[in-house]
């Protein structure tokens, strides 16, 4: 029932996001302009005051309140199969039809076949939500290798799926470059000799297919980039991630992206420094003069744009038109030092195909003239005295914006004038040089750091000859690294934990200290036991001990020898990770903490075990801990408190699931119960993900999930009596069979520790005899595997749905969600606990002195794991991120095997490792599905 309610809740939230097309009748031209700034205009009905717009239900309500006349329009039926073949040999460059994604790829492939020296192969820079390739092509003389100081230029179109004109313009532009070059047209030859051009006809293939502005998930990609004025409000979309990663891997200097719905060249900033929304307030960036000039070059060559009475000279500052945050042009300027403008090239966003040729005629000269602007200002190399590339920042007097060198090259586009230039590089004194920039020329200014006499070389020339010289790699990491603090702390924390464990296990003094304080450090006693049980030769082998320390020390020394800001980035430069890689890092964190929670390290002290605390009592302590720790996260992130009911729904899934685990274990036995619910969790979470996002590579995805489920089931069985008895003679059973007290278990089953207590512990710990099957609760004298199975499946389903509500949660998803979840846990736990104790007809015994602190600690460990799992799901989705966190089974198994020595039977160990291989295979398939 709870699942049905949740399902309905998610459906309702999906419906709320749905946009609707309506026709609106306005009073006058001014009114209409005002309207297009507020809502997404789709199409204007020629010669009338009617406009087709896309609105959310809320926007619709607002418009109706303001007495706009609205009429619903049925949704546009997407043109099903657009597939044109362009003839690469034809002289007719103009577009006459739309190309679907396959047609784009095959056209690029044809270009490469016909002009292999100047057109690269079609390459995909990444995939859309629905797994469509985002195609690109590079065009340049000697296209395989970017020449020395050859600037890179790019055009990106169709990031709004229903703004289609640019998509075809870019294809025609590619065609024209190749065709005119091959005819020896000197302007084109010159341009391709000195420039490396990259073209992306569509950034949003899913949106084009659906003929909608947003991507498949309904997110506007031009609001989804990181903004320097305002925090991003939605999770970064795959298309945006692909684009930013690609741009960061290259060295673009100038670019434009194509839109429709107006006719104007729009330049930064799009946002205001105060983060507010407004119209009519220009927000000039440091290079305002240059941007005005660049935009004018485009508009002056396009008669429609130039003569557009709506905008003076056909250009506008972004914020002066209307503010937006998270746009691509501002991101390029700030993060890639790439001067990007936004081109609106047709009033009709999706013109009929017979009008495309007209738009090509209007734009073709503009497209080339604008691209040629990449050769202005000055450029050069930044090296040390030996000629090795050095990372540097180049600043120009009077302009508060530096450009960074990459691979020892930098480019600075500028207006004509005389400038004082400063180049800075870590560890060297600043170099200062004056430079004169002239119209139609590009100056060259090289900076040599650390040389005695010569500080810079200065020469002026018109064009560079493109010689393919590989300058090697940068010496310093890219300085545009974001704050690495949280990742650094996590990496360091894991490092310390590993070091401490090795220390405790291998160090004699630590061993003596622990044994002197046996009572106080009851939990470490097991480590002591482990050490005693190690083969004698190994434990006294000082050489191997020394080796371990030496290895650790050398890693530390290497790390510490680096400058502090580079120390960790050199080891692992986490800021350079893609969202996907961050997702995998979060999976590892979740597995480590969930696994340690499941092994319930703090609960293993003898006092706690002896007290036989009811698992639900622990659940109450966890809920307090989860609640408190979420506020620490909030304080640490300097965020304000916000609440979302979605977090509450998530908690309503988790708490009852946690209590169900007790019954599942009691009726099925721990091994089977854990296997069943972890398997169901993986499948349910995957189904949610597939239902909400679609499946990319079905073959890999489905087989990966199947293998993973089998692996998890096998893994959990490795601790069962059945496996331990394999290969054993029956008569030995009573004396030698060891069955673990704390088997590898799933993270949501903290509660079984009290139930699953050891029956006896010998003080020397050498021979223990535990019972795998926990004592039955009072009042339930008989095991009922059907009830157990129902509980395990239900719990798996709730578990797998636990993070689904995250999809509906707004703004700064992680922190808001964590805190709302923790409030939910604190509120729901007492209710469930009350129900549980009433059902059991028991009075709770709180064991405050013994159980409170270990309970709080264990809750904290779970809480951290939960934070990671939310990050993993944010970055990798419900299909991949959440299922992978179920591999906590591996870590809890490792605790059981290595530290607590709970699994010793050879058959169990072999079974465990084989299961691990199966799990690994499943994970590999699932990861393959995303590539
Ligand atoms: Zn647009």
């Amino acid at each position: 029932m709870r699942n049905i309610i949740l399902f309905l809740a998610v459906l309702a939230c999906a419906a709320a996001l749905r946009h609707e097309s309506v026709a609106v009748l306005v009073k006058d031209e001014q009114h209409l302009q005002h309207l297009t700034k507020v809502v997404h205009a789709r199409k204007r009905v020629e010669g009338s005051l009617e406009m087709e717009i896309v609105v959310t239900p809320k926007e619709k309500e607002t418009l109706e309140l303001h007495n706009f006349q609205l009429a619903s329009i049925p949704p546009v039926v997407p043109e099903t199969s657009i597939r044109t073949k362009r003839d690469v040999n034809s002289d007719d460059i103009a577009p006459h039809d739309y190309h679907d994604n396959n047609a784009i790829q095959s056209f690029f492939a044809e270009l490469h076949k016909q002009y292999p020296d100047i057109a690269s192969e079609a390459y995909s820079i990444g995939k859309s939500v629905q797994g469509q390739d985002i195609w690109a092509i590079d065009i340049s003389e000697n296209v395989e290798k970017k020449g020395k100081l050859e600037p890179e230029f790019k055009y990106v179109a169709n990031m709004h799926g229903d703004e289609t004109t640019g998509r075809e313009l870019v294809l025609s532009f590619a065609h024209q470059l190749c065709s005119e070059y091959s005819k020896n047209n000197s302007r084109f030859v010159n341009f391709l000799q000195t420039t490396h051009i990259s073209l992306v006809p569509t950034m949003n293939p899913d949106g084009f297919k659906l003929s909608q502005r947003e991507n498949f998930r309904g997110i506007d990609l031009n609001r989804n980039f990181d903004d320097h004025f305002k925090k991003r409000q939605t999770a970064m979309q795959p298309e945006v991630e692909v684009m930013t990663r690609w741009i960061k891997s290259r060295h673009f200097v100038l670019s434009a992206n194509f839109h429709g719905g107006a006719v104007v060249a729009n330049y930064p900033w799009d946002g205001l420094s105060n983060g507010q929304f407004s119209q009519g307030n220009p927000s000039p960036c440091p290079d305002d003069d240059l941007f005005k000039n660049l935009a004018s070059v485009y508009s002056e060559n396009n008669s429609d744009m130039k003569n557009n009475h709506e905008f003076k000279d056909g250009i506008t500052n972004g914020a002066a038109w209307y503010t937006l945050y998270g746009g691509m042009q501002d991101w390029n300027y700030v993060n890639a030092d790439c001067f990007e403008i936004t081109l609106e090239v047709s009033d009709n966003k999706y013109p009929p195909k017979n009008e495309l040729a007209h738009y090509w005629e209007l734009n073709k000269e503009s497209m080339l003239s604008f691209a040629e602007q990449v050769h202005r200002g000055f450029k050069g190399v930044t090296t040390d005295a030996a000629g090795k590339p050095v990372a540097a920042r180049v600043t120009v007097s009077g302009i508060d914006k530096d450009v960074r060198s990459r691979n020892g090259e930098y480019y600075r586009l500028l207006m004509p004038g005389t400038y004082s230039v400063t180049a800075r590089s870590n560890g060297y004194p600043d170099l200062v040089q004056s430079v004169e920039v002239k119209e139609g020329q590009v100056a060259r200014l090289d900076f040599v750091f650390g040389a005695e006499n010569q500080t810079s070389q200065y020469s002026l020339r018109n064009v560079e000859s493109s010689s393919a010289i590989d300058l090697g790699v940068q010496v310093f990491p890219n300085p545009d690294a974001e704050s690495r603090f949280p990742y650094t702390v996590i990496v360091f924390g894991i490092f310390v934990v590993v070091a401490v464990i090795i220390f405790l296990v291998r160090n004699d003094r630590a061993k003596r200290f622990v044994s002197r304080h046996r009572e106080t450090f009851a939990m470490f006693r097991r480590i002591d036991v482990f050490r005693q049980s190690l083969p004698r030769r190994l434990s006294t082998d000082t050489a191997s001990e020394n080796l371990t320390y030496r290895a650790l020390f050398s890693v530390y020394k290497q790390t510490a020898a680096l400058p502090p800001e580079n120390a960790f980035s050199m080891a692992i430069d986490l800021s350079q990770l893609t969202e996907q890689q961050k997702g995998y890092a979060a999976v590892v964190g979740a597995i480590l903490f969930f696994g340690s929670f499941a092994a319930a390290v703090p609960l293993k002290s003898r006092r706690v075990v002896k007290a036989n605390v009811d698992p639900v009592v622990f659940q109450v302590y966890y809920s307090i801990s989860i609640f408190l720790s979420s506020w620490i996260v909030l304080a640490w992130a300097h965020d304000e408190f916000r609440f979302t009911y979605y977090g509450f729904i998530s908690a309503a899934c988790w708490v009852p699931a946690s209590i169900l685990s007790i019954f599942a274990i009691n009726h099925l036995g721990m091994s089977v119960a854990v296997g069943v619910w972890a398997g169901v969790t993986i499948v349910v979470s995957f189904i949610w993900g597939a239902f909400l996002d679609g499946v990319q590579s079905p073959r890999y995805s489905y087989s990966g999930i199947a293998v993973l489920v089998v692996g998890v089931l096998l893994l959990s069985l490795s601790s069962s009596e059945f496996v331990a008895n394999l290969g054993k003679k029956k008569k030995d059973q009573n004396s030698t069979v060891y069955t673990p007290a704390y088997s590898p278990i799933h993270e949501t089953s903290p509660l079984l520790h009290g139930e699953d207590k050891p029956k006896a512990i010998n003080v020397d710990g050498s021979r223990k005899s535990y019972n795998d099957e926990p004592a039955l609760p009072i009042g339930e004298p008989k095991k009922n595997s059907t009830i157990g199975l129902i509980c395990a499946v239900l719990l798996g389903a709730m578990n797998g749905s636990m993070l689904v509500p995250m999809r509906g949660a707004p703004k700064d998803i992680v922190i808001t969600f964590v805190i709302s979840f923790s409030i939910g846990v604190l509120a729901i736990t007492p209710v469930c606990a009350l129900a549980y104790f009433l059902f059991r007809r028991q009075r709770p015994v709180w064991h405050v002195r013994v159980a409170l602190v270990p309970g709080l600690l264990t809750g904290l460990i779970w809480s951290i794991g939960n934070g990671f799992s939310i990050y993993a799901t944010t970055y990798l989705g419900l299909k991949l991120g959440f299922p992978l966190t179920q591999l906590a089974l591996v870590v809890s198994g490792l605790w059981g095997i290595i530290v607590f020595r709970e699994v010793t039977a050879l058959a169990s160990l072999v079974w465990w490792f084989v299961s691990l291989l199966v799990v690994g295979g499943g994970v590999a398939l699932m990861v393959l599905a995303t590539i």
Side-chain angles (χ1 to χ4, degrees), residues 63 67 104 133 175 196 253 257 312 323 423 493 548 587 604-605 663 691 756 784 848 854 891:
L63 286 174
N67 295 322
I104 287 174
D133 283 304
H175 194 170
H196 196 98
V253 180
N257 73 86
K312 190 175 179 295
T323 46
T548 315
V587 166
K604 299 251 161 141
S605 87
F663 296 99
F691 169 69
D756 192 37
N784 185 332
V848 177
V891 172

Side-chain angles (χ1 to χ4, degrees), residues 29 33 44 261-266 299-300 302-316 321 343-348 362:
E29 193 72 22
Q33 274 175 35
R44 183 169 167 190
V263 179
V264 67
N266 170 111
S299 76
E300 267 168 25
N302 179 322
S303 56
D304 272 15
M305 204 177 276
K306 189 181 169 188
N307 302 322
N308 185 353
H309 62 275
E310 245 183 277
F311 301 96
K312 190 175 179 295
D313 301 326
I315 64 171
T316 182
W321 187 13
L343 296 166
E344 306 274 354
V345 289
S346 58
D347 272 323
N348 187 348
L362 274 172

